[in-house]
Amino acid sequence: MKDNIKYFIADVLNEIDNEFITEAAFPKKKQKKLNWKQMGAIAACFIITIFAIRPLIEYTILKDDTIKMEMVEESIVPKFSYGVEIVRINQPPNSIEERESESSLVTWLEPEEIFAKDTHIFRGIISEMNYYKSTGGYESYFTVISVEVTDVYRGDMTRENRYKIYLPILPGIMMNSIAGDLDKLEVGSEAIFMPYIAAEESGIGSGNSFFSYADVADYYFSEGMRFLFLSTDKGVSYESDLYNIPSANNNVTLDDVAEYIKDMISNGVKP
Amino acid sequence: MKEGGWVMEDDRIIELFFERSEQAIIELSAKYEKLLFSVSNNILNNKEDAMECVNDTYLGAWKAIPPQKPNPLTAFLCKIVRNLSLNKYRDKKAGKRNSAFDVSMEELEYCIPSASVEEIWSAKELGIAINRFLATLDKDSRVMFLRRYWFLDSASDIADLFDLNENNVYVKLFRIRKGLKSFLEKEGFHI
């Protein structure tokens, strides 16, 4: 989301009546009386839920305690970033010592709202994966995949050309709770991708440094849960709780996803 | 919060400001610090910066009262801390991603005409229209909207407040946003 839009909406909300603000400032909590059976059921559900979501709320996956020194293969000369150094490494470290403070906040949006985002949508096959490290004000590891495009649903890219996409993770080593299937991507993976366009101002920074995704890729994913439809041996992996994709035999294929997306776009959902 | 949770009435706090008694700040802090900190921290996602904004809010109140006699005091303070926090957020270029502020504004992007039409409709005009929309809602829906998009509460906090599950909250918020979009379109604001 562009900053000027964000600030404009914030300015709009600043005009909300004092009366409404006061009404909502100290709301009374709704109380519901529970009998012992309900309380028991809730307690049981709570325990089960905690165990069920525990893997999801882990910020990083640490597979190995030993840290291998990565070899720097290429330094990137940034055009848009400042205060940071970006290097391509020939192999990712076995593990990351410090936990990444990636947030698990994900906006709840309906499919129409997601397709209205300013994303390009295309189908393709991953032909290359490279790993990078950025140091300076904002230190992070990340991955850039090259995708050979086989079909375009929205955007001005050309079939059979390759485009680079920034992933905020190292598959299998460093991920976050909203990475979704980004962690499962590998060379040869086929998927429908819905990444954001990496503009000059797209990136992350702290203090006097800024890392622009545009220095390393054409597109970027901020999270993979809802913006990726990955073909796997067991069918297409996607956020089925969100997208209601029709299919024959309840076995959704990438072709079904493509039809669904075309239908959503043709129904007037535009970025 | 004072021992026993006792807090002073706003009228009395304002009297203390008029008397130039530093006790005014102590009472203000006892009653409002948690709320103000929450608003600021939800924007900045940084406790130190948020605390700085809260302290600056106290200073702002000290300078403004007198001559001002804000009524309601709650909204007056909340607006100060929100504006200070947004200013600080703007200064930190792209430094804080994924704060509750980012998430909430992203949800509203779909139903409020934004920067591209900024020159056509002012924030004030749109804000007034949103006030008209809020007046049509029942109190619970209005409070839910404000808690999410003004106070920037998480869905889980709102679920807790209304004794609902998070999914119910998301659905209700979606319906409110849909209603807002439709209302604004009827009022002539094209999204």
Side-chain angles (χ1 to χ4, degrees), chain B residues 5-182:
Chain B
W6 180 87
V7 289
M8 189 176 273
E9 291 294 325
D10 287 350
D11 288 349
R12 179 64 193 129
I13 294 176
I14 289 173
E15 278 176 24
L16 288 172
F17 272 104
F18 271 79
E19 291 164 11
R20 307 313 284 160
S21 164
E22 289 183 9
Q23 187 65 22
I25 301 295
I26 295 167
E27 299 298 342
L28 206 63
S29 161
K31 187 168 183 177
Y32 287 107
E33 185 149 305
K34 193 177 168 192
L35 174 68
L36 301 177
F37 178 81
S38 154
V39 171
S40 185
N41 194 43
N42 283 344
I43 293 171
L44 295 167
N45 196 20
N46 181 304
K47 290 182 170 55
E48 287 169 12
D49 287 346
M51 207 56 233
E52 198 179 314
C53 285
V54 171
N55 287 328
D56 287 347
T57 302
Y58 297 152
L59 182 64
W62 183 258
K63 286 178 178 171
I65 315 170
Q68 288 189 58
K69 199 172 184 180
N71 183 23
L73 181 62
T74 308
F76 174 79
L77 295 170
C78 287
K79 282 191 170 177
I80 293 179
V81 80
R82 188 170 184 275
N83 285 332
L84 288 171
S85 306
L86 285 172
N87 287 342
K88 196 175 274 286
Y89 178 95
R90 284 172 190 177
D91 291 343
K92 287 180 177 266
K93 185 185 174 187
K96 296 290 170 191
R97 298 286 172 195
N98 255 340
S99 74
F101 171 67
D102 295 310
V103 174
S104 295
M105 293 305 102
E106 201 170 327
E107 285 182 1
L108 282 180
E109 184 185 14
Y110 186 62
C111 60
I112 293 182
S114 49
S116 59
V117 294
E118 196 171 348
E119 291 163 10
I120 305 171
W121 296 299
S122 71
K124 193 169 186 66
E125 283 175 305
L126 268 164
I128 290 168
I130 290 174
N131 281 325
R132 284 199 294 275
F133 168 74
L134 291 174
T136 68
L137 297 179
D138 61 85
K139 186 182 171 185
D140 279 0
S141 300
R142 191 164 54 236
V143 170
M144 190 179 282
F145 182 90
L146 266 286
R147 291 305 317 179
R148 177 65 171 175
Y149 302 116
W150 209 95
F151 292 92
L152 307 165
D153 280 355
S154 68
S156 86
D157 287 341
I158 296 171
D160 187 44
L161 184 66
F162 287 91
D163 193 29
L164 296 168
N165 65 42
E166 277 188 50
N167 200 45
N168 285 340
V169 171
Y170 287 132
V171 170
K172 280 176 181 287
L173 286 170
F174 175 69
R175 286 179 184 155
I176 295 170
R177 292 201 306 270
K178 207 171 169 184
L180 174 60
K181 185 181 178 198
S182 162

Side-chain angles (χ1 to χ4, degrees), chain A residues 109-153:
Chain A
L109 298 172
E110 293 296 313
E112 292 82 358
E113 293 175 293
I114 290 175
F115 283 106
K117 297 265 173 208
D118 195 9
T119 56
H120 281 179
I121 310 175
F122 52 90
R123 182 169 175 167
I125 297 166
I126 297 178
S127 56
E128 199 178 339
M129 293 181 86
N130 286 303
Y131 310 106
Y132 292 81
K133 183 180 182 182
S134 68
T135 55
Y138 184 77
E139 185 163 318
S140 177
Y141 288 90
F142 57 91
T143 303
V144 174
I145 56 173
S146 293
V147 176
E148 191 170 314
V149 172
T150 55
D151 209 352
V152 179
Y153 310 118

Side-chain angles (χ1 to χ4, degrees), chain A residues 75-131:
Chain A
S75 286
I76 307 294
V77 180
K79 287 181 186 167
F80 312 114
S81 307
Y82 50 85
V84 295
E85 288 176 20
I86 307 166
V87 293
R88 185 158 67 88
I89 52 181
N90 65 355
Q91 58 183 356
N94 287 356
S95 68
I96 307 298
E97 192 171 33
E98 290 189 8
R99 282 166 177 259
E100 293 289 302
S101 58
E102 297 287 349
S103 168
S104 61
L105 278 172
V106 174
T107 312
W108 177 268
L109 298 172
E110 293 296 313
E112 292 82 358
E113 293 175 293
I114 290 175
F115 283 106
K117 297 265 173 208
D118 195 9
T119 56
H120 281 179
I121 310 175
F122 52 90
R123 182 169 175 167
I125 297 166
I126 297 178
S127 56
E128 199 178 339
M129 293 181 86
N130 286 303
Y131 310 106

Side-chain angles (χ1 to χ4, degrees), chain A residues 19-112:
Chain A
E19 181 193 341
F20 297 146
I21 294 167
T22 307
E23 177 183 60
F26 295 107
K28 284 189 178 174
K29 191 176 173 181
K30 302 262 177 194
Q31 298 277 340
K32 191 169 82 176
K33 288 183 180 175
L34 301 174
N35 61 36
W36 66 271
K37 278 186 182 175
Q38 288 171 312
M39 290 176 75
I42 289 168
C45 288
F46 178 74
I47 291 165
I48 291 166
T49 307
I50 289 295
F51 278 97
I53 66 171
R54 193 174 167 184
L56 292 175
I57 59 177
E58 290 290 337
Y59 286 134
T60 57
I61 291 178
L62 304 179
K63 282 191 168 176
D64 191 341
D65 289 330
T66 58
I67 297 177
K68 192 185 283 182
M69 290 295 288
E70 67 276 4
M71 298 292 289
V72 172
E73 216 168 63
E74 178 192 5
S75 286
I76 307 294
V77 180
K79 287 181 186 167
F80 312 114
S81 307
Y82 50 85
V84 295
E85 288 176 20
I86 307 166
V87 293
R88 185 158 67 88
I89 52 181
N90 65 355
Q91 58 183 356
N94 287 356
S95 68
I96 307 298
E97 192 171 33
E98 290 189 8
R99 282 166 177 259
E100 293 289 302
S101 58
E102 297 287 349
S103 168
S104 61
L105 278 172
V106 174
T107 312
W108 177 268
L109 298 172
E110 293 296 313
E112 292 82 358

